Amino acid sequence: LAAVLMTLKTSEDALPPASQAAREAMDRSRSQLEGALREIRKAIVDLRPSALDDLGLASAVRWFANEHLRPLGIKVTFEISGDEQRATGAAATAIFRIVQEALSNVARHSGARRAGITLDFGASAVVTVIEDDGTGFDPEGFRQPQESGRGLGLLGMRERAELFGGDVEIESGAGQGTSVRVRIPYA
């Protein structure tokens, strides 16, 4: 994409001065490409932020929440207990991805004003709870993904947890907010 941006700029510079419509079209194309490049870079960082390796799971979760919820005006609180050093490798990545999906759902669907994240690094497992004060929903209605694709994220969270011998419990109801509890044993 960066190379295409440079080619567009070179092509735009080569246009005769009277080609205003072509210049405007190339300018729009360049703006769209710049936006796509920003989104791709953001997606790459979101997939596995360096904070997960550099600072640990709790810091990576805090970073993701601050990047994705606070700009929407959602107040985020954190509660962390236990020895974080126990959550490493693939288990830490799985927990991060599940939290990432849960927080993305809060941002996209909940209409929440507040969210709370708890990470409890217990003796044999990490228990993570993500709660919000949003509109809520009927979790039973999303046991299977809908044709529109809604519910795929919830299914993915459950499947990822099960791969590590864990589980995901979702409590919600119309007007009651949502609580997602994730338990993943240490690998």
mmCIF file of all heavy atoms in Angstrom, residues 2 9 23 46 60 99 140 151:
data_model
loop_
_atom_site.group_PDB
_atom_site.id
_atom_site.type_symbol
_atom_site.label_atom_id
_atom_site.label_comp_id
_atom_site.label_asym_id
_atom_site.label_seq_id
_atom_site.Cartn_x
_atom_site.Cartn_y
_atom_site.Cartn_z
ATOM 1 N N ALA A 2 1.960 1.204 0.730
ATOM 2 C CA ALA A 2 2.853 2.367 0.754
ATOM 3 C C ALA A 2 3.426 2.631 -0.640
ATOM 4 O O ALA A 2 3.528 3.791 -1.065
ATOM 5 C CB ALA A 2 3.970 2.155 1.764
ATOM 6 N N LYS A 9 1.204 9.422 -5.987
ATOM 7 C CA LYS A 9 1.760 10.771 -5.855
ATOM 8 C C LYS A 9 2.584 11.126 -7.098
ATOM 9 O O LYS A 9 2.466 12.226 -7.638
ATOM 10 C CB LYS A 9 2.618 10.863 -4.594
ATOM 11 C CG LYS A 9 3.242 12.215 -4.383
ATOM 12 C CD LYS A 9 2.201 13.303 -4.182
ATOM 13 C CE LYS A 9 2.864 14.634 -3.912
ATOM 14 N NZ LYS A 9 2.102 15.761 -4.423
ATOM 15 N N ARG A 23 -6.834 15.036 -10.853
ATOM 16 C CA ARG A 23 -6.093 15.325 -9.620
ATOM 17 C C ARG A 23 -6.973 15.075 -8.390
ATOM 18 O O ARG A 23 -6.522 14.494 -7.404
ATOM 19 C CB ARG A 23 -5.598 16.765 -9.599
ATOM 20 C CG ARG A 23 -4.424 17.029 -10.468
ATOM 21 C CD ARG A 23 -3.977 18.502 -10.325
ATOM 22 N NE ARG A 23 -2.943 18.788 -11.269
ATOM 23 C CZ ARG A 23 -1.671 18.426 -11.129
ATOM 24 N NH1 ARG A 23 -1.310 17.776 -10.053
ATOM 25 N NH2 ARG A 23 -0.784 18.709 -12.046
ATOM 26 N N ASP A 46 -3.096 -4.666 17.100
ATOM 27 C CA ASP A 46 -4.147 -5.235 17.944
ATOM 28 C C ASP A 46 -4.069 -6.756 18.016
ATOM 29 O O ASP A 46 -4.457 -7.347 19.024
ATOM 30 C CB ASP A 46 -5.533 -4.833 17.432
ATOM 31 C CG ASP A 46 -5.869 -3.381 17.724
ATOM 32 O OD1 ASP A 46 -5.109 -2.730 18.477
ATOM 33 O OD2 ASP A 46 -6.888 -2.910 17.203
ATOM 34 N N ALA A 60 -1.091 -5.226 28.729
ATOM 35 C CA ALA A 60 -1.643 -5.307 27.372
ATOM 36 C C ALA A 60 -3.154 -5.112 27.400
ATOM 37 O O ALA A 60 -3.719 -4.419 26.541
ATOM 38 C CB ALA A 60 -1.284 -6.646 26.724
ATOM 39 N N VAL A 99 -10.332 -11.317 25.791
ATOM 40 C CA VAL A 99 -10.618 -9.987 26.356
ATOM 41 C C VAL A 99 -10.781 -8.973 25.235
ATOM 42 O O VAL A 99 -11.683 -8.126 25.268
ATOM 43 C CB VAL A 99 -9.504 -9.558 27.344
ATOM 44 C CG1 VAL A 99 -9.654 -8.103 27.743
ATOM 45 C CG2 VAL A 99 -9.508 -10.455 28.567
ATOM 46 N N GLU A 140 -28.603 -16.479 25.128
ATOM 47 C CA GLU A 140 -29.112 -17.710 24.508
ATOM 48 C C GLU A 140 -29.390 -17.512 23.018
ATOM 49 O O GLU A 140 -29.295 -18.448 22.241
ATOM 50 C CB GLU A 140 -30.369 -18.202 25.224
ATOM 51 C CG GLU A 140 -30.097 -18.729 26.626
ATOM 52 C CD GLU A 140 -29.061 -19.847 26.641
ATOM 53 O OE1 GLU A 140 -29.165 -20.781 25.822
ATOM 54 O OE2 GLU A 140 -28.147 -19.782 27.476
ATOM 55 N N GLY A 151 -22.634 -12.934 16.559
ATOM 56 C CA GLY A 151 -22.475 -14.084 17.429
ATOM 57 C C GLY A 151 -21.205 -14.867 17.157
ATOM 58 O O GLY A 151 -20.818 -15.719 17.957
#
